[in-house]
Short mmCIF file of all heavy atoms in Angstrom, two decimals:
data_model
loop_
_atom_site.label_atom_id
_atom_site.label_comp_id
_atom_site.label_asym_id
_atom_site.label_seq_id
_atom_site.Cartn_x
_atom_site.Cartn_y
_atom_site.Cartn_z
N PRO A 251 96.94 102.77 123.51
CA PRO A 251 97.54 101.48 123.70
C PRO A 251 97.15 100.49 122.64
O PRO A 251 96.07 100.59 121.99
CB PRO A 251 96.97 101.00 125.08
CG PRO A 251 95.63 101.74 125.12
CD PRO A 251 95.80 103.07 124.49
N SER A 252 98.01 99.48 122.43
CA SER A 252 97.71 98.40 121.45
C SER A 252 98.37 97.12 122.07
O SER A 252 99.56 97.08 122.29
CB SER A 252 98.36 98.67 120.12
OG SER A 252 98.22 97.59 119.22
N PRO A 253 97.53 96.10 122.33
CA PRO A 253 96.05 96.07 122.14
C PRO A 253 95.29 96.99 123.10
O PRO A 253 95.85 97.40 124.11
CB PRO A 253 95.66 94.62 122.37
CG PRO A 253 96.73 94.13 123.28
CD PRO A 253 97.96 94.86 122.89
N GLN A 254 94.09 97.32 122.77
CA GLN A 254 93.28 98.30 123.56
C GLN A 254 92.67 97.66 124.75
O GLN A 254 91.41 97.60 124.87
CB GLN A 254 92.29 99.01 122.70
CG GLN A 254 92.92 100.01 121.75
CD GLN A 254 91.84 100.99 121.21
OE1 GLN A 254 91.12 100.66 120.41
NE2 GLN A 254 91.86 102.20 121.78
N THR A 255 93.49 97.19 125.67
CA THR A 255 93.02 96.69 126.91
C THR A 255 92.71 97.80 127.92
O THR A 255 92.02 97.52 128.94
CB THR A 255 94.09 95.76 127.53
OG1 THR A 255 95.32 96.45 127.67
CG2 THR A 255 94.29 94.53 126.65
N GLU A 256 93.16 98.96 127.64
CA GLU A 256 92.83 100.18 128.42
C GLU A 256 92.55 101.29 127.47
O GLU A 256 92.87 101.29 126.30
CB GLU A 256 94.02 100.52 129.35
CG GLU A 256 94.37 99.37 130.30
CD GLU A 256 95.47 99.81 131.24
OE1 GLU A 256 95.50 100.95 131.73
OE2 GLU A 256 96.42 98.98 131.51
N GLU A 257 91.89 102.33 128.01
CA GLU A 257 91.46 103.47 127.22
C GLU A 257 92.62 104.37 126.79
O GLU A 257 93.52 104.54 127.56
CB GLU A 257 90.37 104.26 127.95
CG GLU A 257 89.07 103.56 128.12
CD GLU A 257 88.33 103.34 126.81
OE1 GLU A 257 88.40 104.26 125.96
OE2 GLU A 257 87.73 102.25 126.65
N ALA A 258 92.47 104.89 125.61
CA ALA A 258 93.45 105.98 125.20
C ALA A 258 93.19 107.17 126.06
O ALA A 258 92.07 107.37 126.54
CB ALA A 258 93.27 106.27 123.72
N PHE A 259 94.23 108.03 126.25
CA PHE A 259 94.03 109.24 127.09
C PHE A 259 94.92 110.36 126.62
O PHE A 259 95.96 110.15 125.90
CB PHE A 259 94.36 108.89 128.54
CG PHE A 259 95.77 108.43 128.74
CD1 PHE A 259 96.81 109.32 129.06
CD2 PHE A 259 96.10 107.08 128.77
CE1 PHE A 259 98.05 108.88 129.33
CE2 PHE A 259 97.38 106.66 128.98
CZ PHE A 259 98.41 107.54 129.24
N VAL A 260 94.55 111.55 126.95
CA VAL A 260 95.30 112.76 126.61
C VAL A 260 96.40 112.92 127.69
O VAL A 260 96.05 112.83 128.86
CB VAL A 260 94.39 113.97 126.58
CG1 VAL A 260 95.27 115.28 126.35
CG2 VAL A 260 93.38 113.87 125.47
N THR A 261 97.57 113.18 127.27
CA THR A 261 98.73 113.44 128.21
C THR A 261 99.27 114.86 128.05
O THR A 261 98.75 115.65 127.30
CB THR A 261 99.80 112.34 127.98
OG1 THR A 261 100.78 112.47 128.98
CG2 THR A 261 100.41 112.47 126.63
N THR A 262 100.29 115.14 128.81
CA THR A 262 100.94 116.47 128.72
C THR A 262 102.19 116.42 127.87
O THR A 262 102.78 115.41 127.57
CB THR A 262 101.29 116.96 130.15
OG1 THR A 262 102.15 116.04 130.76
CG2 THR A 262 100.02 117.16 130.98
N TRP A 263 102.67 117.65 127.56
CA TRP A 263 103.91 117.78 126.77
C TRP A 263 104.91 118.35 127.77
O TRP A 263 104.71 119.45 128.32
CB TRP A 263 103.67 118.76 125.63
CG TRP A 263 104.80 118.97 124.75
CD1 TRP A 263 105.53 120.11 124.61
CD2 TRP A 263 105.36 118.10 123.70
NE1 TRP A 263 106.54 120.03 123.65
CE2 TRP A 263 106.42 118.73 123.06
CE3 TRP A 263 105.00 116.79 123.29
CZ2 TRP A 263 107.15 118.20 122.07
CZ3 TRP A 263 105.80 116.19 122.29
CH2 TRP A 263 106.79 116.91 121.71
N SER A 264 106.01 117.66 127.98
CA SER A 264 106.97 118.04 129.02
C SER A 264 107.92 119.20 128.65
O SER A 264 108.47 119.86 129.52
CB SER A 264 107.78 116.86 129.46
OG SER A 264 106.92 115.86 130.00
N LEU A 265 108.15 119.35 127.38
CA LEU A 265 109.06 120.41 126.95
C LEU A 265 108.43 121.84 127.01
O LEU A 265 107.22 121.91 127.04
CB LEU A 265 109.55 120.17 125.50
CG LEU A 265 110.62 119.05 125.44
CD1 LEU A 265 109.90 117.69 125.33
CD2 LEU A 265 111.51 119.22 124.16
N ASP A 266 109.25 122.86 127.05
CA ASP A 266 108.76 124.20 127.05
C ASP A 266 108.43 124.70 125.64
O ASP A 266 107.91 125.89 125.54
CB ASP A 266 109.85 125.15 127.65
CG ASP A 266 110.08 124.78 129.13
OD1 ASP A 266 109.23 124.30 129.80
OD2 ASP A 266 111.27 125.00 129.58
#
Side-chain angles (χ1 to χ4, degrees):
S252 174
Q254 285 199 283
T255 54
E256 299 182 43
E257 290 293 322
F259 61 90
V260 174
T261 185
T262 56
W263 183 253
S264 297
L265 284 83
D266 297 329

